[in-house]
Amino acid sequence: MIRSMTGYARTELKKNWGKAIWEIRSVNQRYLEIHIRMSEEFRELEFAVRQYIRSNLDRGKIECYLKFEGGYKKEEKIILNKNLIKKILNTIQWIKLHINEGNINFLDILKWPGVIEIKRDNLDEIKTEIFSSLKFTIKKLIEVRVHEGILLKKIIEERLDLIKYEIKKIKIQLPKVLKLYKEKLFLKLKESQIFIDKTRFEQEVLLLIQKIDISEELDRITIHIAETISIINNIESEPMGRRLDFIMQELNRETNTLASKSINSYITAATIEIKVLIEQMREQIQNIE
């Protein structure tokens, strides 16, 4: 199923031990790039969080944040990291000595990561519940990405229909264009008074028409359109962004050849319109997983 790489999900978990908030942002990226931020007491969850994200998402820049606000019980111990506090104070004193500015705010020091550790007897239980909340958040993110993917699919289908319409117009005009081209050649030869027998003339015209014939390019574009439709209608969850990007490159290449062979302003205009539509699709495909 087509999925966007852009999305946002937030889950707030409230329990007797406090509150945990997961926030996950996702934007387009060529590969999967994961950034995780959480408090020290849950740092050992990072590997499992990273692996779970990798098992559910294939592409995108993922920013995953865990905000934890713990409730405190009387039986829980508050442990101060005295060595860290001394280092912070020494650093602040050194800065104050050299720039002669700033005051020490002890509350800010206590907020420093790793200064305070709450000894919780139920920490394993808390971690299990928080990880379950992560799974739910990832599910919400995927739903957002799928919803946006459906919108992208609609945009791509609209552009493909417009390209097919332009191809149809070119195919209708092509026999007329080739006939007119043949007549122009004959008229020029007649005006230049160059004698050439009819058989030779037909052979030369045939060679020239073969060089400017765009039927093959039109057929290839039609094949690429069919392949694109097949990919975006695939109900499997496998990523398709890279495949679609490759097809856009091929479509663009065939259209460039089409433009170089064009001998008629009508076909040239249609080709330019096709190029514009391909570029519009390519921009949207950059957001597909």
Side-chain angles (χ1 to χ4, degrees), residues 77-116:
K77 295 180 181 179
I78 298 178
I79 301 172
L80 289 176
N81 190 332
K82 296 177 182 179
N83 290 330
L84 180 58
I85 292 173
K86 286 179 182 179
K87 290 179 181 179
I88 294 171
L89 287 171
N90 289 336
T91 303
I92 293 172
Q93 291 288 2
W94 184 87
I95 293 171
K96 191 173 181 182
L97 179 66
H98 284 79
I99 65 174
N100 198 28
E101 288 184 13
N103 296 312
I104 298 175
N105 188 322
F106 293 101
L107 287 177
D108 288 340
I109 292 175
L110 292 175
K111 292 177 183 177
W112 192 274
V115 168
I116 294 180

Side-chain angles (χ1 to χ4, degrees), residues 3-6 28 152 283-289:
R3 301 197 309 198
S4 168
M5 283 189 281
T6 305
N28 63 321
L152 291 174
E283 289 176 359
Q284 299 300 332
I285 284 168
Q286 299 302 310
N287 293 313
I288 293 176
E289 185 178 9

